[in-house]
Amino acid sequence: MTDALVEAMRENDTQTSQRALVSVAGLTKSFGRRGNEVHVLRDVDLEVADGELLVLLGPSGCGKTTLLRCLVGLERPNAGRIELGGACVVDAARGVFVQPNRRDVGMVFQNYALWPHMKVRKNVAYPLRSRGHTAALDDGRVEEVLDIVQCRHLADRYPPELSGGQQQRVSLARALAPRPALLLLDEPLSNLDALLRVELRAQLRLLHRELGFTAVHVTHDQEEAIALGTRVAVMNAGRVEQIGEPLDVYRAPASEYVADFLGARNRIELRAEASGAVLAGQPIAGLVRDGLRGSFAVRLRDEHLSVRPGTDDGSGAHADATTAWLRGGRVVELLPGVETSECVAEIGDLRLFARVSTGSADVRPGEAVDVGFTIGKARCYAKDDGRLVPGWADRRGRADLALGVPS
Ligand code: ADP
Ligand code: MG
């Protein structure tokens, strides 16, 4: 390969996948009067590359919608800058604020927000008309995007005559019609029933691959985040707490908050002293690496916990080649499922949730059990700052952890 060709490829690479289409710096937004403000976005920095589908994930009220509204221009930030495609659309310090209709951004709202008195065709044509794209109207762009979302046959209906899924497709067509540089999707699938949600999720992924648009997609559903996102940003109280590729974030949540939000709801206290380690109040040998000291919280997903008939002999917990076992537990609840059931066990004050095979003879409410967890799947967080402690376990645990943790 010639140097020129390599150079051209590199340049092409930077243009298609590295260039930031959206660049947000120091974005701050609060509502209410001075002294009585609600701080909704706190100093948010974020970049979205051209062609990327960034998923914003976080609990209700953490500021996801407000961030999208700032990007599209429906909210005026108190501080910070936003660039779209290299052009500054917001610079609070210099009083720059570009109006929504002059930003090249489309938005799909959770509640569809179609105009009920306009036929589907007119709803979809609206952003083309309001931006003066009359050529696109003449060229059949409305029919084209309705085709893309498989709703062309509904063009002459009114929104109230459509199902939720159809309304959401039309709403997507309306946002895509003017070929925006950036598409914002605010929980577009949350109001749909489970089957339709999974179907539309797959279609959205396909559309993103085929049309190659750049999008920011908001959800509070981690399955959706992993299925759709090229990257995921987890928000906590107006801040971006962690950003990365979906499986990296999922396997190695950087903080206890992110672990908890991503479903690692089991929390076991761990103390490591020179005299030995104590897990949930039970002494345990051979679990933590030499030299680890301090107070920690171990976080685990239900599927990484297991349950076996109790072997409590008063000697405390113990670790075998792959699993750490806590003794002295009791099953308090068994919630049946088709393949696996949720087993709730208590060890003193500690409540743990494990997935067990449905019909497993070992697990019945009231029975004494040991509760174990796969050491390599356990994530450990420092109690003082809630940050991930990579390499906390002895060799058995570290080998697995190393796969998930970019050190
Ligand atoms: P999310 O989309 O993550 O659920 P939002 O961005 O909608 O969160 O809201 C974040 C916080 O901002 C909430 O506490 C909400 O009550 C508050 N908020 C949003 N919009 C306004 C507003 N116009 N006036 C006052 N408070 C608002
Ligand atoms: Mg919201």
Side-chain angles (χ1 to χ4, degrees), residues 31 69 73 84 125 244 325:
F31 292 103
R69 289 173 60 84
L84 294 175
W325 292 98

Side-chain angles (χ1 to χ4, degrees), residues 61 64-66 110 186-187 218:
K64 305 181 297 294
T65 296
T66 304
Q110 184 176 359
D186 194 0
E187 306 207 30
V218 165

Side-chain angles (χ1 to χ4, degrees), residues 35-36 45 107 115 228 234 242 254 344 353 374 405:
N36 194 17
D45 295 333
M107 184 151 169
W115 289 284
L228 282 177
V234 183
Q242 186 175 5
V344 187
F353 303 86
T374 311
V405 182

